[in-house]
Amino acid sequence: MKLIRDPVHGYIEVPDRLLPVISNPLFQRLRYVKQTALAYMVYPGMNHSRFEHSLGVMHLSLEFLKYIKENSSLEFLDQELMELIATTAMLHDVGHLPFSHTFENALQVAKRIYGVDVFERDKKTHVILGTQLVESGLGSELEKSFRTFEDPVKFITRVLLETPSNKEEKLAHLIISNFIDADRSDYLLRDSYYAGVEYGQFDIERLKRFLFFENDMLVVLSKILPIVEQFLLARMYMFQNVYFHSVVGMYNAILSQAIAQLLRDGYLVVPTEVKDFLVFDDNFVVSKLQLVRHELRNAIMYRQGFKRIKIEPGPSCIDKLESMKKEIYEDVRSSDGLLVYHEFNDVPYREEKDEAVYILTPHGVERLKRISPVIGSLSEIRKVVVGYHVSREDLGRKYEKILTECGD
Amino acid sequence: MKLIRDPVHGYIEVPDRLLPVISNPLFQRLRYVKQTALAYMVYPGMNHSRFEHSLGVMHLSLEFLKYIKENSSLEFLDQELMELIATTAMLHDVGHLPFSHTFENALQVAKRIYGVDVFERDKKTHVILGTQLVESGLGSELEKSFRTFEDPVKFITRVLLETPSNKEEKLAHLIISNFIDADRSDYLLRDSYYAGVEYGQFDIERLKRFLFFENDMLVVLSKILPIVEQFLLARMYMFQNVYFHSVVGMYNAILSQAIAQLLRDGYLVVPTEVKDFLVFDDNFVVSKLQLVRHELRNAIMYRQGFKRIKIEPGPSCIDKLESMKKEIYEDVRSSDGLLVYHEFNDVPYREEKDEAVYILTPHGVERLKRISPVIGSLSEIRKVVVGYHVSREDLGRKYEKILTECGD
Amino acid sequence: MKLIRDPVHGYIEVPDRLLPVISNPLFQRLRYVKQTALAYMVYPGMNHSRFEHSLGVMHLSLEFLKYIKENSSLEFLDQELMELIATTAMLHDVGHLPFSHTFENALQVAKRIYGVDVFERDKKTHVILGTQLVESGLGSELEKSFRTFEDPVKFITRVLLETPSNKEEKLAHLIISNFIDADRSDYLLRDSYYAGVEYGQFDIERLKRFLFFENDMLVVLSKILPIVEQFLLARMYMFQNVYFHSVVGMYNAILSQAIAQLLRDGYLVVPTEVKDFLVFDDNFVVSKLQLVRHELRNAIMYRQGFKRIKIEPGPSCIDKLESMKKEIYEDVRSSDGLLVYHEFNDVPYREEKDEAVYILTPHGVERLKRISPVIGSLSEIRKVVVGYHVSREDLGRKYEKILTECGD
Amino acid sequence: MKLIRDPVHGYIEVPDRLLPVISNPLFQRLRYVKQTALAYMVYPGMNHSRFEHSLGVMHLSLEFLKYIKENSSLEFLDQELMELIATTAMLHDVGHLPFSHTFENALQVAKRIYGVDVFERDKKTHVILGTQLVESGLGSELEKSFRTFEDPVKFITRVLLETPSNKEEKLAHLIISNFIDADRSDYLLRDSYYAGVEYGQFDIERLKRFLFFENDMLVVLSKILPIVEQFLLARMYMFQNVYFHSVVGMYNAILSQAIAQLLRDGYLVVPTEVKDFLVFDDNFVVSKLQLVRHELRNAIMYRQGFKRIKIEPGPSCIDKLESMKKEIYEDVRSSDGLLVYHEFNDVPYREEKDEAVYILTPHGVERLKRISPVIGSLSEIRKVVVGYHVSREDLGRKYEKILTECGD
């Protein structure tokens, strides 16, 4: 067992079985992928990496499992299975490209604006890349660590691809990827710690003690309904104020634009081999920025030269912008990225056929919306940000007009 | 006035006069210089930058000045002077090279091991570079902001070069560079926040309220002697456990070695022009690492391949190691850096003719050591770390033997 | 200026004008009135007093006023007026009876159950007593401290009685008694600090910086809408989980019962003279508990002997319980308090003709509900708790049946 | 298992075996004994009770034991023994008289000043009373909970009386009563939490993970020497600034005086029966204060009427004051307590034949002083405080003169 000091969780105790994975360069690489891309433009403390986040998710998954095992008397959940689930949790982001979601957005920009179809899959890019990397780069370590499992790599990939095939994998999936899970728990606590904002905090000590696994569902005791609400609200506030902050959004849009141009021009290629993936980190992308026009580089590096327009569009405005997409994309393209356009949206909570937060009440298991008017009241967050370089005030005026007329 | 959210100080209120300096790329560049180089190898949260530290020092200097003004009824200390001092504080690290002190150490390694005399001055490199940059890159902003001062640039450079020429500059110097000052206060609070260790914390709220400026001395009221002790002990513990952690030390030594080789081979050149300095940041150095041998790069990036030996040498051991320096340097050189050697030392507190912490007691001003046995008991911290690549176990065995025989 | 160390706000700086009021025994008495009555039965850290809360409210009112003055450029708000408002804030609870709201509830129990009409007014008892005490016990101190005011006592009483007669008093009233005010801000932060629960926390540093006073309204900038929501939710969670916790509620109901019997029997008399009021604190009531039957005393002091039944009643249940009130009261009376019955209710937020949280949006001032679906979703909290002594299992069974049939 | 929310440790998980002890009125009584007597006179947040402290000590002892068991592979330390030790820890203060140490001091004042020998033993009063109460009031609960132990009451009393008779009891004794133990760990963290001062904090998360039990000694790993130093310094600062604060000290001395007079006059009698002890709490003493002269009561309740003189005496001063003791006591007696005199002293750390902090270094177990110059530098804290009522300025002048001449 190895102790790692973590400012969010205090000490993280790493079981020995996980050490070879942590030492592998594929995992160490996550030190050089920022958790929240350019959020440090507004919140200067947000320089934290996917590396520490991944350790935190691993830690929380072990904590969750400890209490779930007790609360639901799960005999099948032995120490080795717990550690395999924790390893899966730890690897959930191993396939993230530089600047994480900003690069994934750049792939879309490259396609939409420049017609360059670099990498398209029906699932999230980082999940697909991640499972490929686990298969090709971590197989032998995993097999040595988890000897009683026939195929630990299969376990991990099935869970990460959201195709669990048995009870054990279902539990793992619910711990790692769910409305309330170890991943979200860690990033809310961690991102708000580094941003220095309190609204991302919630009572993790209480939450983790009242989780159950019943009938293949992750279930929460009704007495902690306030914590569940607090959790989902915390997430909503983090989206509204941090991840979707209009200044953060504009700089990420400019970075996406720059990456898209680098992809278009062949200066960046999404790697498929472990060897190439290893050096494909934030530093690598930054070192290529000298190849894009200086207005983009100066904006991304030094906050120079761009202004922004922002709205929270209503339904009719969304329709109107949708109908103008072709023109907007043309303006972005013809200005060579001196105009950028980005739409944000997130649904704070949604219940679908098999997906919901399940609450264990005295009258049985209920879906969250049935018993929480607060959560029932939450609606989709939508924002539109337009950025333009000061040398293109003409575009600024055009979009100022469009958005003002369109806005609520 | 602009508000910046800081996880350490809550909100930092930036006076309008300082905004042009903050917006300047020379200051924005500090986002890309890590505060504590490779400390994140052991403390994964330590990814913070000189940018936020500089804002913190600016903030604390304003706080200190507010209370000093009140406590010592300083009429000459008006708002504009306070803000000029705060600007000086904010610029104290503007000349830091990539990875800060690790690069300064690399300059010495380059000279000692490879005979390459890149940049030598009788004062700290980052101070000299910083004052040059202020002169050549920030003059017009500063003159516009501080109109009632004849030569704000001269003020700043005299203070940073530790050659204050009048009462105002003396006060500024004491606030920024002293045993207990805004710089150290910020880095102790900040580094321990990101490391997640408590021993770097001290009671800043109490400390700042009992500072005085009397007879050109910064003086502390005796009732907060415990805070003064706590501050100096906090600093000592941070050196012992974080900055001089043997693993942190070894990786920084390997990075110094790599930088020294890059300097030797002309791949890195310390810039003297603003334009070149702007891109000379951590990213830039990392992008050059592909030019050094893979053992060094893999160690620096992925913690691969090196082992370490560490001792806390006694006096006779120090003498012995001193006498072996030529041989040690030759081993480092001939192994092309597969052996690295680093000595750490820091004096937690020292009183010299004009330098001391001055305490205001009922019987007059006293030097700290006279009234604090705890501080009187502190002695120099000394550590030696040797790192060697696993392909050179022969060197490992040699130094294991030398250090074991030498150590206490 | 005097510094008081407060665990919630760090340091509280007390202006000199307020010192005579703080030193007065009427204010010192608040040390012996617990802020949250018997909440320590469930949350053992909640032993805090009205004394520290009152200092906290004073402190926050000064903070609020500092930013409001800046934001709304209020010239009439000079230092002396700010300190008079802060004094008013500090005195808002000076008339609280022992165990605060629990005693106020006991007055109702005494009347309803035992027909003893001890003290009835159309406003809150502690406000009326408080203003009387200020008039009769603090007049000379206040007049000495606030010389430029014609009648500082009148100012204070008009504000506390919610009958402000001019702009200054209106501002004071809004700062002290409002949906979002210094009183609630302090008690949420303070009560959650001592309870050790996070859901009562909110971002006070951000909240206080974006308050305005416009057209005699306290107005909040729309950019901090999330903080406003967080504040109102924090208050709701504190009510649901702490103040209205069913165990806390039952013990407070038993204490109310005991006090009511002491009032009925003349062992306790609500004092009207300053001299008698001074000794009328929690200790005094506790010393009288030996005069009530041992079952009540043992419950209140040592958590012995009572069991509880709790429901959250729906509308039809409320009607049914209302129709049974006579019978319930008779059971309480005839059991001599071995049965206790308590209804809780609180409306998290309500807009009425002149009362609302006003938000300053780009389109003008709006009422909160119009722009916050989350707040619009909040509904009244209602709980009913019945407690019965184990020697009266018959009553237990009776009410178990009634409540089970009635509950949702 | 029952969860109790504690602001210091988050959640305290209480094992089922301990619940009957917690529910017993003898333990519940600790809710009404303040942890730090009148410290709230200066630190208004310090209203916390021995009840929560005792729960905290229980919790920490379980935490310590968990890691010690792991680190030293202690097979004899099974779950039931761990919980018996935790119960012992929880009961270590059960015999505390009202206002804890202030009452113990009053017993000495009663004897020295008024010749009333109420209760004298060769060990600490609260320990003797505590073990008697455990024997007479908790025996049956303990025997039911700890069935595999022959005589759990004997175990507890032998440990509390510091006469352990076997390995198990020795371990218990070291966990509960030692230089670094669960008792001190809790009170430092807890008292500083409620005072709102940071210097009582130390890194408990790190401390507890590096404890060992070797050769019947509690041993600490040398890598956490900084935490050990921090712990002992934290304790020293808490004594210097909180427990021995001269204002706190004066009011506690006045309260001791009042209690001594009540003992002298027979209004208070130290109870020996469980039944009488149950009501003998802070409230009870306060209710008797109406029987002492109003100057004492007004000082104790409302901070009225007393002034203070304080010094930190050197050796010759101590001798001089010693030689004057008879006169001083006579002044206290003849003024009927309008003069009070109190000496404080505490030795931050002392090594004696069998007592020391033992550090496990690479070279074997060492005593702390040998390897820590900081701890070696600590010296005894000594303070003298004299308080006098304003009606006796004559005594004030007399002692002002004596102490001024005497002080350094």
Side-chain angles (χ1 to χ4, degrees), chain A residues 1 3 5 11 13 67 70 203 205-206 209-210, chain D residues 1 3 5 11 13 67 70 203 205-206 209-210:
Chain A
M1 202 257 292
L3 286 178
R5 181 71 90 154
Y11 271 108
E13 301 183 350
Y67 288 106
E70 257 180 57
D203 190 344
E205 289 305 307
R206 193 160 169 82
R209 283 176 165 87
F210 296 98
Chain D
M1 202 256 292
L3 287 178
R5 182 69 91 153
Y11 272 108
E13 302 183 350
Y67 287 105
E70 256 180 56
D203 190 344
E205 288 305 307
R206 192 161 170 81
R209 282 177 166 85
F210 296 98

Side-chain angles (χ1 to χ4, degrees), chain A residues 101-116 118-120 125 256 260 263 329 342:
Chain A
H101 301 290
T102 299
F103 201 113
E104 293 190 348
N105 182 52
L107 294 175
Q108 297 188 326
V109 173
K111 191 174 173 200
R112 287 182 199 155
I113 308 289
Y114 300 112
V116 182
V118 188
F119 191 99
E120 208 194 5
T125 308
S256 287
L263 290 164
Y329 289 173
H342 194 68

Side-chain angles (χ1 to χ4, degrees), chain B residues 44-109:
Chain B
M46 298 188 84
N47 294 306
H48 54 304
S49 73
R50 296 267 156 194
F51 180 80
E52 48 177 310
H53 165 59
S54 298
L55 290 175
V57 178
M58 179 276 286
H59 167 76
L60 284 183
S61 66
L62 281 177
E63 290 286 295
F64 283 15
L65 290 169
K66 183 178 93 176
Y67 287 106
I68 288 171
K69 181 180 167 66
E70 256 180 57
N71 292 343
S72 290
S73 312
L74 301 186
E75 292 193 13
F76 72 90
L77 188 55
D78 62 13
Q79 189 59 25
E80 189 171 343
L81 175 56
M82 285 173 74
E83 295 184 7
L84 179 57
I85 296 176
T87 303
T88 311
M90 196 170 75
L91 290 171
H92 80 291
D93 273 352
V94 82
H96 254 303
L97 292 164
F99 297 105
S100 317
H101 301 290
T102 299
F103 202 112
E104 294 190 348
N105 182 52
L107 294 175
Q108 296 188 328
V109 172

Side-chain angles (χ1 to χ4, degrees), chain A residues 338-356:
Chain A
L338 297 189
L339 178 80
V340 293
Y341 174 92
H342 194 68
E343 290 177 5
F344 304 95
N345 74 304
D346 180 74
V347 180
Y349 177 70
R350 159 162 41 201
E351 282 178 5
E352 280 167 11
K353 52 181 182 346
D354 278 350
E355 294 182 67

Side-chain angles (χ1 to χ4, degrees), chain C residues 198-369:
Chain C
E198 279 174 52
Y199 38 73
Q201 299 289 315
F202 61 93
D203 191 344
I204 182 74
E205 288 305 308
R206 192 159 169 84
L207 178 64
K208 73 187 182 191
R209 283 176 165 85
F210 296 96
L211 300 176
F212 292 74
F213 183 62
E214 307 284 344
N215 301 321
D216 288 7
M217 289 185 293
L218 191 68
V219 178
V220 174
L221 208 59
S222 63
K223 71 186 286 184
I224 63 160
L225 182 59
I227 313 296
V228 170
E229 293 179 355
Q230 191 193 24
F231 180 100
L232 292 169
L233 289 167
R235 189 176 167 283
M236 184 182 77
Y237 293 138
M238 287 300 284
F239 272 84
Q240 284 179 344
N241 294 288
V242 179
Y243 312 137
F244 290 178
H245 188 290
S246 66
V247 175
V248 172
M250 183 183 74
Y251 286 108
N252 276 326
I254 301 171
L255 176 56
S256 286
Q257 178 61 227
I259 293 173
Q261 294 187 11
L262 289 166
L263 289 165
R264 176 195 65 191
D265 300 342
Y267 294 124
L268 283 181
V269 177
V270 176
T272 49
E273 300 293 307
V274 168
K275 174 177 64 62
D276 301 328
F277 196 79
L278 273 180
V279 298
F280 204 69
D281 58 21
D282 290 7
N283 295 316
F284 187 80
V285 168
V286 168
S287 75
K288 297 298 181 196
L289 286 182
Q290 62 198 51
L291 300 167
V292 297
R293 51 188 305 165
H294 69 94
E295 292 93 338
L296 298 185
R297 182 177 197 280
N298 283 344
I300 295 163
M301 299 301 285
Y302 310 121
R303 288 190 64 152
Q304 303 285 304
F306 271 70
K307 291 186 176 169
R308 77 190 192 284
I309 315 162
K310 56 173 176 167
I311 54 162
E312 300 184 13
S316 70
C317 184
I318 292 166
D319 289 347
K320 189 180 163 199
L321 291 171
E322 198 54 43
S323 73
M324 292 181 57
K325 275 292 157 64
K326 237 179 121 180
E327 182 182 346
I328 297 171
Y329 290 173
E330 181 51 35
D331 282 342
V332 173
R333 180 166 41 243
S334 65
S335 72
D336 205 21
L338 297 188
L339 179 80
V340 294
Y341 175 92
H342 193 68
E343 291 176 4
F344 304 94
N345 74 304
D346 180 73
V347 180
Y349 177 69
R350 158 162 42 203
E351 282 178 6
E352 280 167 11
K353 52 181 182 341
D354 279 349
E355 293 183 70
V357 173
Y358 294 102
I359 309 290
L360 187 57
T361 77
H363 317 295
V365 172
E366 298 272 13
R367 289 161 169 257
L368 177 58
K369 272 199 181 171

